[in-house]
């Protein structure tokens, strides 16, 4: 039995957009700007401080003030990010079913460990994971495959026996580069510029419950078209 299901954190496993958005709005308030609606912020929540400062302040990493604003944002996020962490609806049940099926699961994220570890502890998931790889655990984060290889090393499995689930193009690229099948989570934080159907993911999950269908197809070595046909029958 193939043994390891890997999740991205923000926008795939946990719905962290509310706290990421809260920190951004606190920062905008500090700079005399009105709050942004969460619906405006949400599509950028998987893009880290780069995406959030872009939508919140029209900054890019090349902007002279970017580094200072990023540090300020992270300090504000540090104050709020474990207030009310939330898994996506259906995710808690999915993790239980994964474990009950004999599979293990872990997390590979570009989020720094200073936030990832306490967040997963607050969700009471830290003792259940087979591995946790964060951006600062590697020299080259996603889309490079280095984090994927480290996760495999931590869990003691080969990349071919893993599958990676994420909501950003870099997630799919990292999984593919490591030789893993991938699932794109369409319920995550995609913006209007994203074109997930062009990313080449092995499977597509419109919502959390569909991940299990994808995992069954992966376990049985069924082609991606199997999941597509299920989607059509369900009217997804």
């Amino acid at each position: 039995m193939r043994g390891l299901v890997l999740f991205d954190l923000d926008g795939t496993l946990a719905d962290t957009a509310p706290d990421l958005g809260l920190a951004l709005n606190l920062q905008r308030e500090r700079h005399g700007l009105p709050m942004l609606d969460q619906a405006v912020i949400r599509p950028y929540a998987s893009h880290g401080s780069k995406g959030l400062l872009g939508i919140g302040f029209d900054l890019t990493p090349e902007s002279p003030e970017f580094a200072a604003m990023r540090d300020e944002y992270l300090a504000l996020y540090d104050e709020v990010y474990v207030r009310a962490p939330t898994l996506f609806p259906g995710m808690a049940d999915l993790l239980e079913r994964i474990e009950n099926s004999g599979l293990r699961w872990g997390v590979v994220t570009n989020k720094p460990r200073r936030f990832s570890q306490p967040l997963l502890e607050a969700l009471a998931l830290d003792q259940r994971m087979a591995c946790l790889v964060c951006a600062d655990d590697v020299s080259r984060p996603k889309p490079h495959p280095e984090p994927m290889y480290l996760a495999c090393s931590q869990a003691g499995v080969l990349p071919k026996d893993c599958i990676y689930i994420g909501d950003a193009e870099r997630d799919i690229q990292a999984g593919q580069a490591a030789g893993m099948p991938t699932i794109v989570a369409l319920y995550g934080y995609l913006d209007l510029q994203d074109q997930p159907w062009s990313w080449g993911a092995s499977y597509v999950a419109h919502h959390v419950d569909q991940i299990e269908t994808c995992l069954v197809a992966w376990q049985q070595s069924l082609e991606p078209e199997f999941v597509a046909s299920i989607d059509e029958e369900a009217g997804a």
Side-chain angles (χ1 to χ4, degrees):
M1 177 180 285
R2 292 166 172 169
L4 188 62
V5 181
L6 294 171
F7 292 89
D8 174 48
L9 181 53
D10 298 298
T12 302
L13 182 71
D15 187 3
T16 55
D19 289 337
L20 290 162
L22 173 59
L24 183 64
N25 275 325
L26 288 172
Q27 188 176 23
R28 282 175 59 86
E29 182 180 46
R30 180 175 290 186
H31 290 269
L33 296 173
M35 295 179 63
L36 292 175
D37 190 276
Q38 281 286 349
V40 174
I41 300 172
R42 190 176 183 85
Y44 299 89
S46 272
H47 298 286
S49 56
K50 175 182 175 182
L52 291 164
L53 291 176
I55 191 64
F57 295 94
D58 197 27
L59 296 176
T60 69
E62 291 73 37
S63 302
E65 63 270 43
F66 182 85
M69 291 290 283
R70 179 188 58 204
D71 290 346
E72 181 182 67
Y73 173 79
L74 293 176
L76 290 166
Y77 183 59
D78 202 15
E79 297 176 4
V80 302
Y81 76 103
V82 291
R83 284 186 179 179
T86 305
L87 293 175
F88 279 99
M91 185 59 70
D93 290 339
L94 175 65
L95 294 178
E96 286 189 15
R97 291 196 296 271
I98 288 173
E99 293 166 350
N100 291 338
S101 74
L103 294 172
R104 295 183 297 159
W105 62 272
V107 174
V108 179
T109 175
N110 275 1
K111 201 181 191 77
R113 183 168 284 271
R114 64 183 272 208
F115 299 120
S116 303
Q117 185 77 42
L119 178 62
L120 289 161
E121 290 173 0
L123 290 165
L125 296 177
D126 56 305
Q127 298 301 312
R128 295 167 58 184
M129 299 181 297
C131 56
L132 170 61
V133 176
C134 305
D136 39 353
D137 295 332
V138 294
S139 59
R140 293 163 295 186
K142 299 179 294 182
H144 196 276
E146 183 182 350
M148 320 308 290
Y149 293 141
L150 180 56
C152 292
S153 177
Q154 289 181 359
V157 298
L158 297 174
K160 68 181 181 65
D161 294 322
C162 302
I163 190 167
Y164 189 53
I165 309 165
D167 67 314
E169 185 175 15
R170 65 175 173 272
D171 298 327
I172 306 307
Q173 291 171 335
Q176 290 171 335
M180 300 177 184
T182 55
I183 302 172
V184 60
L186 293 184
Y187 59 84
Y189 306 146
L190 280 73
D191 62 40
L192 294 176
Q193 284 70 48
D194 285 327
Q195 297 180 332
W197 300 104
S198 70
W199 297 347
S202 308
Y203 307 102
V204 171
H206 295 266
H207 45 77
V208 170
D209 288 345
Q210 277 190 328
I211 291 176
E212 190 167 15
T213 301
C214 298
L215 295 179
V216 169
W218 168 58
Q219 287 284 291
Q220 297 179 1
S221 299
L222 298 174
E223 294 299 320
E225 287 76 11
F226 168 81
V227 177
S229 67
I230 295 259
D231 290 347
E232 290 172 4
E233 291 172 8

